[in-house]
Amino acid sequence: GIQVEQSPPDLILQEGANSTLRCNFSDSVNNLQWFHQNPWGQLINLFYIPSGTKQNGRLSATTVATERYSLLYISSSQTTDSGVYFCAVPSGNTGKLIFGQGTTLQVKP
Amino acid sequence: SQTIHQWPATLVQPVGSPLSLECTVEGTSNPNLYWYRQAAGRGLQLLFYSIGIDQISSEVPQNLSASRPQDRQFILSSKKLLLSDSGFYLCAWTWGTGVPGYTFGSGTRLTVV
């Protein structure tokens, strides 16, 4: 089955810094999603991004489907950005997702 | 608007006891429903998915089962819990593949003692 790898596994930033998270996938996909899991466990859908670039405030994401990777940019990081960031790609046609192992981000004040 | 409810939030159960976790979606009909488990705060593993009533697929053979008694209700069960069943269980829904809007419930933290 399709493999999803995320890097780096852990990231510590000072508040105000920028960061780039990467997601590689092993096979062609027709969409990719980024999620943020806050320290209380809630998973929030950040982006649905099959290709191209999308921006939402300080966050933006780019997917290059032909090269099988996606990037999540966080600019001017805040302590509330802390948590785990997951990327996920679909498997089959039932909507089930294959998740990467996540990047744990800690933003220090 | 659509909302998803999952309960209970936390659960401590002895080994060998039964389990029932419930997930309900409001504001839509015929959603695709999913149960995921997360261990050690990393990586979500798909356990079951359902694209309609009486259509439930299992991804991983294990000590759990799922049922969908109503269109917008998804239940995760076990007859006898094992220590290895401990983890964070998340329910999710979507309209289907290829569309945005994958939404997760708030999760149930299960500890088997």
Side-chain angles (χ1 to χ4, degrees), chain A residues 4-40:
Chain A
V4 181
E5 295 182 356
Q6 292 185 243
S7 60
D10 300 281
L11 188 58
I12 300 175
L13 298 175
Q14 209 61 37
E15 198 168 27
N18 303 327
S19 63
T20 301
L21 282 58
R22 187 177 180 102
C23 174
N24 293 331
F25 42 95
S26 61
D27 206 349
S28 300
V29 297
N30 58 16
N31 73 77
L32 181 140
Q33 302 189 51
W34 283 97
F35 295 86
H36 174 228
Q37 186 172 38
N38 65 25
W40 297 272

Side-chain angles (χ1 to χ4, degrees), chain B residues 16-64:
Chain B
S17 64
L19 173 73
S20 181
L21 303 181
E22 190 163 341
C23 172
T24 302
V25 179
E26 296 179 353
T28 188
S29 59
N30 197 30
N32 287 8
L33 297 169
Y34 310 86
W35 278 111
Y36 287 85
R37 179 169 61 196
Q38 184 178 32
R42 281 265 178 115
L44 279 76
Q45 179 187 40
L46 180 65
L47 302 177
F48 299 93
Y49 67 94
S50 172
I51 60 173
I53 290 181
D54 297 329
Q55 298 181 69
I56 298 173
S57 298
S58 172
E59 285 291 294
V60 181
Q62 57 206 326
N63 187 39
L64 302 169

Side-chain angles (χ1 to χ4, degrees), chain B residues 48-107:
Chain B
F48 299 93
Y49 67 94
S50 172
I51 60 173
I53 290 181
D54 297 329
Q55 298 181 69
I56 298 173
S57 298
S58 172
E59 285 291 294
V60 181
Q62 57 206 326
N63 187 39
L64 302 169
S65 62
S67 62
R68 186 168 178 173
Q70 301 179 40
D71 178 47
R72 293 170 292 171
Q73 185 183 29
F74 206 22
I75 296 174
L76 184 69
S77 304
S78 174
K79 292 182 179 178
K80 290 185 177 182
L81 284 169
L82 307 172
L83 287 173
S84 57
D85 292 323
S86 294
F88 191 49
Y89 290 82
L90 289 149
C91 180
W93 81 273
T94 186
W95 278 299
T97 189
V99 295
Y102 214 95
T103 305
F104 281 88
S106 54

Side-chain angles (χ1 to χ4, degrees), chain A residues 71-82:
Chain A
L71 302 174
L72 178 69
Y73 305 95
I74 304 174
S75 64
S76 304
S77 58
Q78 301 176 359
T79 56
T80 52
D81 295 331
S82 297

